[in-house]
C-alpha cells in the first residue's frame, strides 16, 4: 500500500521541487502550490500510464498491477524520469507563452457594441 502512494504522489513532488527551486526567492502561495501540484500529479500519472501502455506495450492486466514489486519499480523509475521532463517542459512553456489582459474604463456615454 505504501509503495502505491509513493509511486503515485512522489513524482509530482519532484516536479514541484524543480519548479520552485527556480522560483528566484519568491514566496510560495498555498493555493497556487496545491493547484500546480494537482496538475503535475495528473500529468505525471497520465504520461506514465501512456508510456507503459503504448511504448512498453503492457496489457491492461499488467498496467495496473501495483502489487508486484517489479512493476512498481518500473513505474516509479518511468514516473520520476517523466517528472523531471515535465518540470522543464512546464518551465519552458511558461516562459514562451504568456497571457495579458487589459481593461479600459468606458465613459458613461459610450454604449456596448
Amino acid at each position: 500500500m505504501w509503495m502505491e502512494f509513493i509511486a503515485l504522489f512522489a513524482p509530482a513532488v519532484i516536479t514541484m521541487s524543480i519548479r520552485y527551486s527556480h522560483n528566484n526567492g519568491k514566496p510560495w502561495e498555498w493555493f497556487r502550490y496545491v493547484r500546480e501540484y494537482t496538475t503535475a500529479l495528473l500529468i505525471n500519472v497520465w504520461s506514465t500510464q501512456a508510456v507503459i501502455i503504448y511504448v512498453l506495450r503492457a496489457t491492461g492486466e499488467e498496467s495496473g498491477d501495483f502489487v508486484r514489486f517489479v512493476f512498481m519499480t518500473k513505474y516509479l523509475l518511468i514516473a520520476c524520469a517523466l517528472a523531471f521532463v515535465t518540470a522543464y517542459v512546464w518551465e519552458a512553456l511558461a516562459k514562451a507563452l504568456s497571457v495579458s489582459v487589459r481593461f479600459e474604463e468606458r465613459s458613461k456615454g459610450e454604449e456596448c457594441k
Side-chain angles (χ1 to χ4, degrees):
M1 182 171 135
W2 287 105
M3 192 72 169
E4 295 172 11
F5 286 116
I6 291 170
L8 291 175
F9 296 111
V13 172
I14 292 171
T15 301
M16 295 307 297
S17 64
I18 292 171
R19 281 190 43 78
Y20 277 94
S21 69
H22 298 144
N23 204 17
N24 297 327
K26 295 178 187 172
W28 290 20
E29 298 171 11
W30 177 251
F31 182 73
R32 181 177 176 187
Y33 181 80
V34 170
R35 185 189 57 191
E36 288 182 4
Y37 176 81
T38 305
T39 305
L41 178 70
L42 292 174
I43 290 170
N44 286 333
V45 169
W46 287 339
S47 60
T48 303
Q49 284 292 80
V51 167
I52 288 172
I53 291 172
Y54 297 116
V55 176
L56 299 178
R57 305 280 185 205
T59 63
E61 295 171 1
E62 295 170 349
S63 65
D65 194 9
F66 283 110
V67 178
R68 291 190 353 221
F69 182 76
V70 174
F71 176 78
M72 287 303 299
T73 305
K74 289 179 188 177
Y75 184 92
L76 192 56
L77 290 174
I78 292 169
C80 288
L82 289 174
F84 281 105
V85 171
T86 301
Y88 289 110
V89 167
W90 195 344
E91 187 175 328
L93 286 175
K95 287 181 181 177
L97 302 175
S98 67
V99 176
S100 62
V101 179
R102 194 176 94 188
F103 295 100
E104 293 181 10
E105 189 175 329
R106 296 184 196 184
S107 62
K108 292 185 180 185
E110 249 181 77
E111 292 183 16
C112 295
K113 292 181 183 180

